[in-house]
Amino acid sequence: MTPALMKYLIWPLAKFLVAFVIVQVIVAAMNWVERRLLGLMQARLGPNRVGYKGLLQIIADPIKFILKEDIVPSSAEKVAYFLGPILPLIPAFLVFCLIPYGPPPTFVVTQVNVGLLLILALTSTGVYGIILGGWASNNKYSLMGGLRSAAQMVSYEVPFGLSIVGVLMLCGSFDLVHIVNYQAHNIWNLFPQIIAAFIFFVSMNAENNRTPFDLPEAESELVAGYHTEYSAMKFAFFMLAEYSAMLVNCCLMVSLFLGGWTLSISGYGLTTATLQAMGIWGGILGAVIFFVKVMFFMLVYVWFRATFPRFRFDQLMELGWKWMIPLALANIAVTGIVILAAPQGGGEIVLSIAGALIIAFTMYLLFRPKPKVVAHAG
């Protein structure tokens, strides 16, 4: 076997398979974690019958999906109906080839200089499966759920992508490894791009159709939206794609704004070079740091689901088009002005101070004492 074949095919494939298995274990475990945490936050039990505190529920659920009767509506468009659950799943799996999980080269499946661009291109194709699933079921409620979800995903793709532009302007690369290393030797992008991080975080919730943005399901219809007519494993594929996409977005959030697998500022701390010097244990430590950061945001998804009420659809669209997109464009303009005004460095400090002032002013507006209105008796 030639060295080139080992370097460009065998090793990347082996790394992808290992990462794929780990990701699917995390996705299965998150189902149990979410249900237990929701029960805890909402003062109820959650799954507690199968195994210790319901821990074997992650095995019982796949068995249930496999054994359930697979019902296909007689009037459904069969080809499109079967393609619906598969189309969101494939890009969600492929993206894990492009995400670095730790210090290179061991924990990087494939390093591409336009990796972030490929990730955005792949993840944006998931909307096709949702549209097909809603339309091909030949159910009006599924169609309405699919249209709502498609409009939501297309709308929030715009601020989702625009929020990343400021990071790219600072780091000067689409390569996620380079972006992580830039943050390790400067400052986490969370601080100079606090507004972009907020927009990205809100948009990734909307992209995954998660609470409070789970508009495909509407109370007035009493159905689940685009996957109403799906059962058994086809329904499981939709859920698997949703949780995989959640994990992808959390990985992007950590890599773009929170320093990835590093714990350092201005080159002091655990940089990529420091972890590489520690050998395989340094690589494992970096992967653990990355995993902890990612799981924090996965748990925030659960917290949001247990806490916030659902938006109305007009509120959802207004938030995206009237607030998120103008705010993202303003962030790009301000970032560009600061970078041009301070080409020798120091722009991160100015942007961090500006972001802190904006956050402080926003908190003041939210929590300032409201004047009491006294109703006069007529």
Side-chain angles (χ1 to χ4, degrees):
M1 190 173 295
T2 62
L5 189 63
M6 285 291 294
K7 181 179 180 181
Y8 295 109
L9 180 62
I10 303 301
W11 276 119
L13 183 60
K15 290 179 187 178
F16 170 71
L17 291 175
V18 171
F20 178 78
V21 171
I22 293 173
V23 164
Q24 297 317 305
V25 170
I26 294 172
V27 167
M30 273 305 300
N31 185 27
W32 176 81
V33 169
E34 179 168 18
R35 292 168 71 182
R36 290 295 296 184
L37 282 179
L38 287 176
L40 178 66
M41 293 176 182
Q42 298 171 344
R44 54 187 177 82
L45 292 176
N48 65 342
R49 298 291 181 180
V50 188
Y52 175 70
K53 294 189 175 181
L55 190 57
L56 295 180
Q57 192 71 41
I58 61 177
I59 299 175
D61 284 339
I63 294 174
K64 177 188 72 174
F65 281 126
I66 291 171
L67 297 180
K68 282 189 73 172
E69 181 181 3
D70 186 15
I71 300 172
V72 179
S74 59
S75 57
E77 292 287 342
K78 297 298 189 297
V79 176
Y81 178 82
F82 283 100
L83 278 176
I86 298 172
L87 286 181
L89 199 60
I90 294 174
F93 287 167
L94 289 177
V95 163
F96 290 112
C97 295
L98 301 165
I99 295 176
Y101 306 100
T106 307
F107 292 88
V108 177
V109 177
T110 176
Q111 186 173 348
V112 186
N113 61 350
V114 289
L116 183 58
L117 198 60
L118 285 174
I119 291 172
L120 295 176
L122 286 170
T123 53
S124 63
T125 59
V127 66
Y128 294 112
I130 290 173
I131 294 173
L132 276 182
W135 170 78
S137 301
N138 202 19
N139 179 319
K140 291 182 176 61
Y141 295 112
S142 297
L143 178 60
M144 285 190 287
L147 291 175
R148 275 196 304 269
S149 183
Q152 175 178 325
M153 293 179 72
V154 170
S155 297
Y156 279 85
E157 280 280 346
V158 182
F160 185 83
L162 290 176
S163 64
I164 301 173
V165 175
V167 173
L168 300 178
M169 294 167 72
L170 288 174
C171 301
S173 176
F174 281 100
D175 186 354
L176 285 172
V177 175
H178 178 88
I179 292 173
V180 170
N181 289 334
Y182 176 88
Q183 295 175 82
H185 291 91
N186 292 278
I187 189 172
W188 286 1
N189 288 327
L190 175 67
F191 300 105
Q193 291 292 307
I194 184 70
I195 305 300
F198 170 76
I199 296 169
F200 185 91
F201 181 69
V202 173
S203 298
M204 78 182 197
N205 274 272
E207 281 283 292
N208 293 129
N209 298 319
R210 296 281 301 184
T211 306
F213 302 98
D214 54 339
L215 268 295
E217 180 179 351
E219 294 91 340
S220 59
E221 296 163 13
L222 301 178
V223 294
Y226 57 87
H227 51 64
T228 298
E229 297 291 350
Y230 285 91
S231 60
M233 284 306 295
K234 294 196 294 296
F235 174 80
F237 283 164
F238 274 122
M239 293 298 101
L240 189 60
E242 177 182 310
Y243 278 91
S244 297
M246 287 166 56
L247 198 58
V248 168
N249 286 335
C250 290
C251 290
L252 286 178
M253 182 76 188
V254 169
S255 299
L256 292 171
F257 297 101
L258 289 171
W261 55 85
T262 64
L263 279 177
S264 67
I265 293 178
S266 298
Y268 296 101
L270 292 175
T271 64
T272 300
T274 305
L275 293 169
Q276 288 173 332
M278 296 165 62
I280 187 63
W281 295 112
I284 294 173
L285 176 60
V288 169
I289 292 170
F290 186 82
F291 173 77
V292 170
K293 293 178 182 178
V294 168
M295 289 312 297
F296 169 78
F297 284 102
M298 291 293 284
L299 295 179
V300 170
Y301 269 119
V302 180
W303 171 40
F304 275 22
R305 181 176 177 183
T307 305
F308 292 112
R310 183 179 295 147
F311 281 111
R312 294 197 316 262
F313 194 71
D314 61 306
Q315 293 173 329
L316 177 86
M317 290 291 113
E318 183 175 345
L319 177 67
W321 290 101
K322 291 185 179 180
W323 295 97
M324 290 294 176
I325 294 177
L327 196 59
L329 291 171
N331 179 72
I332 293 171
V334 172
T335 302
I337 291 169
V338 171
I339 290 175
L340 289 174
Q344 302 303 321
E348 290 90 349
I349 298 173
V350 175
L351 289 170
S352 300
I353 295 172
L357 292 175
I358 292 171
I359 296 297
F361 181 66
T362 305
M363 298 298 287
Y364 166 74
L365 292 177
L366 288 174
F367 295 108
R368 64 179 174 176
K370 302 294 190 298
K372 292 184 179 180
V373 179
V374 180
H376 296 283

